[in-house]
Amino acid sequence: MAGERTVAPGTDVLIRKVDSHLATLRAGLHGPELELAERLARCLRELVLCTAQASAADRGQVRVAVHYFVLRRESRGRLLSVRSLTAAERVVDRVARQLGRPDLLAEPRRDRPALDEAQPLDNALLR
């Protein structure tokens, strides 16, 4: 129909990447680490769906967060390190804030300082 926007073609691909990575993590993680991975996957799926018809910039931010979760830059061997999951959590939280979705933030932690929301997302990826 005229005027209707279709779902972006990359939506299914991003969700499959998240689900596939989560399935891999389930084989090696337990307890709080697995809970964090599950929570991040849930947030990312929701962000992908809620930005399917958003601007290219918003979709790009979500795509970066998905790739940050899926790519295991800080891992050694087959298992993803906890540090890597917390780094992905920071990126996902930053994207959720920037997109006005505070309901998708991970549970607040007292042991880490608040993030500077004015800092560009690409700088977060360099850490």
Side-chain angles (χ1 to χ4, degrees):
M1 287 185 208
E4 282 189 31
R5 294 177 72 180
T6 59
V7 174
T11 300
D12 290 339
V13 171
L14 291 174
I15 290 175
R16 277 196 309 269
K17 283 184 180 196
V18 169
D19 290 343
S20 173
H21 186 60
L22 182 60
T24 301
L25 293 176
R26 284 180 179 141
L29 295 179
H30 305 289
E33 294 87 11
L34 180 57
E35 290 173 17
L36 175 57
E38 298 264 359
R39 190 168 57 246
L40 289 172
R42 243 186 338 268
C43 292
L44 286 168
R45 278 189 222 101
E46 183 64 29
L47 285 170
V48 167
L49 292 173
C50 77
T51 58
Q53 296 182 3
S55 70
D58 289 350
R59 289 191 319 270
Q61 286 184 352
V62 173
R63 190 169 44 256
V64 165
V66 167
H67 289 162
Y68 199 85
F69 174 68
V70 171
L71 297 177
R72 300 184 295 173
R73 290 190 178 124
E74 299 174 26
S75 68
R76 301 274 187 238
R78 290 184 43 186
L79 298 179
L80 182 64
S81 70
V82 176
R83 180 175 168 211
S84 191
L85 284 174
T86 56
E89 180 184 22
R90 286 191 301 268
V91 172
V92 171
D93 282 355
R94 183 170 290 145
V95 169
R97 273 192 217 95
Q98 289 175 348
L99 296 176
R101 292 296 308 263
D103 57 310
L104 295 178
L105 293 177
E107 295 175 21
R109 292 182 161 182
R110 296 182 187 272
D111 61 342
R112 99 175 160 218
L115 294 174
D116 179 11
E117 294 180 33
Q119 184 179 10
L121 181 60
D122 49 342
N123 287 347
L125 299 177
L126 299 176
R127 291 189 199 141

